[in-house]
Amino acid sequence: MSGDNHAGAAELVTGAQAVIKSLEALGVEVVFGYPGGAIMPAYDPLIDADLQHVLVRHEQGAVHMAEGYAHATGRVGVCIVTSGPAATNLVTGLADAHMDSIPVLAITGQVARSAIGSDAFQEADVTGITMPITKHNELVQSPERIAGAIKEAYHVAQSGRPGPVLVDIPKDVLNATFAWAWPERVDLPGYRPTVRGHGKMIREALQLIAASERPVIYAGGGLVRAGAGEELFAFATRLGLPVVTTLMARGIFPDTHELAVGMPGMHGHYSGVIALQEADLLVTLGARFDDRVTGDLDSFAPHAKVVHVDVDPAEIGKNRAVDVPIVGDVKVVLGQLLKVLDDKDDTAFAPAIDAWREHVRDLKRDHPLRVDQPDTGVLKPQTAIRAVYETWGDEAVYVAGVGQHQMWSAQVIPYTRGRQWINSGGLGTMGFAVPAAIGAKVGVGRDTPVVAIDGDGCFQMTFQELATAVQHDIPVIFCVVNNGYLGMVRQWQHLFYDDRLSQVALPQDCPDLMKIADAYGIPGFRVMTVDELDTTLAKAREITDQPVLVEFRVDPDEMVFPMVPGGASNDDIIESADEWRARLARAGR
Ligand SMILES: Cc1ncc(C[n+]2csc(CCOP(=O)(O)OP(=O)(O)O)c2C)c(N)n1
């Protein structure tokens, strides 16, 4: 591995070797990929490289694994694939990473420069296709440009607001020989993300907090990306501010702390949703007033002034008017805020909000999640997910698919640290969990259990990657909450389309997941009833040296509550199915 400047050393390399040397120079340890025609030159020097390559079964798997790795570690996840259909198979994952600000570097092969634009075999305009879903991309035009393009892309991916980047390299560029040089510095005059917050704004934010009566920290995924958990904890506890953590931020403030109010949003905890509605100040940290959090924007947090800290200036004022805007890295800005507090005595900016804190605690106590687990033995999905948590515990990382199981997993597991919860929040990508969990496991290593909690629909979108986990010895625990339906869609059809179910049934027995486990040569466990939960999970827990599949046959009728119906005001939150039915009865339906 070398980060040295070899300029002038005149070491002759091929473009393909330059790709590998660049990755090594950046300290990349693992790449997720799949070979093919245009990228094939790069697969040859890979044989001798100081890099682990994880061979996936579908390129979508490669990019989701890179995302999972990046989510779990904070480092850039790297994937490498060939041109045309392989590159277009990355599109969903790149869009996903773009929405959730995940640093991913994709390297794609391209047809030879002379063939570009000729509809050559496996040609696709990949930089064109991915322009709106990458933070930056580049079609490399010469071998001399390879190292610079990769180094710059890597820098852009992880700096400022992180995101996916793509470097597209024509095959003849990969085959050309040239004198290797590793650029010493990244020099991008047009790209200088603001890191430090403005001092005046920092003081104004503290003054607003000091004067507030019902402040809430609205903590978003940007805090996780910035690795700002410690600073958040110090800041919130120092001033005694209640904290809500969004779907993307679960764990960045520990759910177990008395200031934790829960998750806001469409399927948030009642206390999280209502605390924001009643607040007179939102201290918004790395969050973006997403529609799933705000519901009807006009009636969202109607009494609140807003402090908004975000590294991306485009987010500030995008959806909600802001009283104190602070552009900067949220970790750095929290450090600045804490520094001001350090210079004063402890009470200087602490608002006098005992009554508010007590009210928020009451909201939490009086409106817990309601899970009616019947004695009949029928397994409620929340009970299964809770048991999964009790089995693998706080040390594990949990990765969800998209649907009801995702929301239950976000609701019922008490997260205590950032990067402990990984999901596809912005794009809502079914099929995310299996590959993302594999990537996360590669990132966190053998000692930390990684548990995928997937739906039966999601699982069937990407379970071919079980072979990747087996082949590369990546012992993920794959849990499938099998309700025999595309449950979340079924829930909406039930609630908003008079229970007219349209194309949402998936046979619970097809495929037989135990045979799938068998086919991949991994242990499989099926839990049919509540009584079987503990003993079966204890057996699954014993297996730490290979992937394992656990299927839960759960009550298909269970719905996710609380729920704010799409487009409604957060004030209209419905806490339970009973409350929904009572409302329908009152409306004469
Ligand atoms: C790629 C993709 N296609 C379609 C959807 C729409 N969608 C959202 S949730 C859902 C159902 C998911 O079903 P399942 O994986 O079984 O999970 P459940 O909701 O039953 O827990 C669907 C179809 C989506 N989010 N992503």
Side-chain angles (χ1 to χ4, degrees):
M1 232 171 69
S2 154
D4 300 341
N5 178 10
H6 291 286
E11 181 192 359
L12 288 183
V13 298
T14 63
Q17 287 169 326
V19 170
I20 303 302
K21 283 170 79 74
S22 300
L23 295 176
E24 287 175 335
L26 288 165
V28 173
E29 289 167 351
V30 57
V31 296
F32 304 93
Y34 204 82
I39 199 67
M40 219 179 307
Y43 269 76
D44 186 68
L46 193 62
I47 295 171
D48 306 312
D50 194 9
L51 278 177
Q52 183 192 358
H53 180 276
V54 174
L55 177 63
V56 302
R57 295 301 182 272
H58 186 292
E59 290 87 357
Q60 184 182 356
V63 61
H64 288 325
M65 284 180 209
E67 284 189 277
Y69 176 89
H71 258 281
T73 63
R75 298 198 289 273
V76 178
V78 182
C79 56
I80 181 163
V81 306
T82 194
S83 66
T88 57
N89 276 346
L90 297 184
V91 164
T92 300
L94 292 172
D96 191 272
H98 197 240
M99 289 285 260
D100 286 346
S101 308
I102 310 301
V104 165
L105 166 63
I107 295 177
T108 48
Q110 181 54 278
V111 299
R113 281 171 293 182
S114 58
I116 289 177
S118 71
D119 294 338
F121 177 64
Q122 292 194 328
E123 182 186 3
D125 174 7
V126 172
T127 45
I129 290 168
T130 61
M131 185 175 292
I133 52 165
T134 51
K135 188 175 169 188
H136 160 78
N137 70 23
E138 177 173 345
L139 172 60
V140 174
Q141 301 282 3
S142 70
E144 291 78 12
R145 179 65 199 139
I146 288 174
I150 291 177
K151 186 166 181 169
E152 285 167 16
Y154 195 87
H155 170 71
V156 170
Q158 64 179 352
S159 55
R161 179 180 186 164
V165 296
L166 181 141
V167 178
D168 197 29
I169 313 177
K171 188 169 186 177
D172 63 316
V173 172
L174 290 171
N175 282 329
T177 300
F178 71 109
W180 163 252
W182 178 243
E184 235 172 310
R185 289 185 303 113
V186 170
D187 187 21
L188 297 170
Y191 177 74
R192 297 255 163 80
T194 303
V195 174
R196 281 185 70 76
H198 194 288
K200 181 165 169 284
M201 294 296 146
I202 299 277
R203 280 189 302 280
E204 278 186 24
L206 287 171
Q207 277 153 10
L208 264 193
I209 292 170
S212 65
E213 292 173 1
R214 299 184 308 280
V216 178
I217 293 180
Y218 163 22
L223 286 158
V224 182
R225 301 290 153 263
E230 272 180 35
E231 289 82 356
L232 173 67
F233 189 84
F235 182 69
T237 51
R238 185 93 177 253
L239 295 180
L241 306 180
V243 185
V244 301
T245 46
T246 67
L247 181 67
M248 291 311 296
R250 305 286 295 125
I252 194 68
F253 188 80
D255 281 324
T256 44
H257 195 278
E258 59 176 1
L259 287 170
V261 193
M263 179 168 73
M266 177 174 273
H267 291 298
H269 300 103
Y270 182 90
S271 49
V273 174
I274 297 303
L276 289 184
Q277 286 308 93
E278 294 182 353
D280 72 343
L281 177 65
L282 302 184
V283 182
T284 309
L285 304 175
R288 59 187 178 89
F289 296 91
D290 175 60
D291 57 273
R292 282 296 190 264
V293 167
T294 64
D296 170 48
L297 195 56
D298 291 338
S299 55
F300 172 66
H303 318 292
K305 291 193 169 166
V306 175
V307 172
H308 194 173
V309 182
D310 205 294
V311 72
D312 183 355
E315 283 301 341
I316 294 186
K318 185 181 84 176
N319 292 336
R320 170 75 182 233
V322 174
D323 299 277
V324 179
I326 304 180
V327 178
D329 180 317
V330 71
K331 184 180 174 80
V332 175
V333 171
L334 278 168
Q336 290 176 269
L337 288 161
L338 286 165
K339 175 83 179 48
V340 178
L341 296 181
D342 281 343
D343 293 344
K344 302 270 177 189
D345 77 79
D346 255 14
T347 52
F349 291 101
I353 54 167
D354 285 351
W356 169 240
R357 272 191 295 267
E358 199 170 317
H359 173 66
V360 170
R361 268 199 294 274
D362 289 349
L363 283 177
K364 224 161 87 170
R365 189 197 54 215
D366 298 343
H367 298 268
L369 288 172
R370 295 192 204 156
V371 181
D372 299 319
Q373 172 61 61
D375 301 333
T376 56
V378 170
L379 182 57
K380 289 284 180 185
Q382 301 96 318
T383 307
I385 291 167
R386 183 79 204 180
V388 166
Y389 166 71
E390 273 155 15
T391 304
W392 281 282
D394 185 50
E395 62 179 309
V397 170
Y398 295 92
V399 186
V402 169
Q404 292 179 309
H405 62 281
Q406 171 194 26
M407 293 300 132
W408 287 316
S409 302
Q411 288 177 341
V412 307
I413 295 177
Y415 298 99
T416 57
R417 59 184 191 281
R419 309 195 185 290
Q420 187 188 10
W421 160 248
I422 295 175
N423 83 137
S424 163
L427 199 64
T429 306
M430 286 178 70
F432 176 82
V434 169
I438 293 172
K441 181 66 183 172
V442 171
V444 299
R446 294 205 86 86
D447 293 340
T448 304
V450 174
V451 183
I453 302 177
D454 217 358
D456 47 318
C458 288
F459 186 72
Q460 290 183 68
M461 285 203 174
T462 48
F463 77 73
Q464 74 276 6
E465 302 301 343
L466 291 184
T468 307
V470 171
Q471 182 182 357
H472 292 275
D473 190 17
I474 305 168
V476 170
I477 300 120
F478 297 100
C479 298
V480 180
V481 181
N482 186 354
N483 57 5
Y485 281 97
L486 297 171
M488 187 57 98
V489 180
R490 180 191 165 180
Q491 173 166 345
W492 281 59
Q493 291 177 348
H494 175 72
L495 296 176
F496 308 119
Y497 291 84
D498 286 332
D499 201 28
R500 284 165 55 81
L501 301 188
S502 177
Q503 302 301 319
V504 286
L506 306 174
Q508 247 181 338
D509 287 314
C510 177
D512 180 332
L513 295 184
M514 295 304 99
K515 289 190 180 151
I516 295 285
D518 208 31
Y520 286 96
I522 63 174
F525 299 93
R526 175 178 285 150
V527 181
M528 302 288 287
T529 63
V530 179
D531 302 339
E532 297 167 18
L533 254 183
D534 291 346
T535 42
T536 307
L537 285 174
K539 282 186 214 151
R541 176 81 178 91
E542 292 298 303
I543 298 159
T544 55
D545 57 351
Q546 61 175 321
V548 51
L549 179 62
V550 187
E551 176 193 10
F552 301 94
R553 291 285 178 96
V554 300
D555 180 0
D557 294 330
E558 188 65 10
M559 289 189 283
V560 186
F561 286 100
M563 179 173 193
V564 178
S569 164
N570 283 347
D571 295 329
D572 293 331
I573 185 169
I574 301 158
E575 284 192 78
S576 66
D578 287 346
E579 191 183 323
W580 171 261
R581 281 188 279 273
R583 280 195 194 199
L584 286 184
R586 277 201 302 278
R589 293 178 61 197

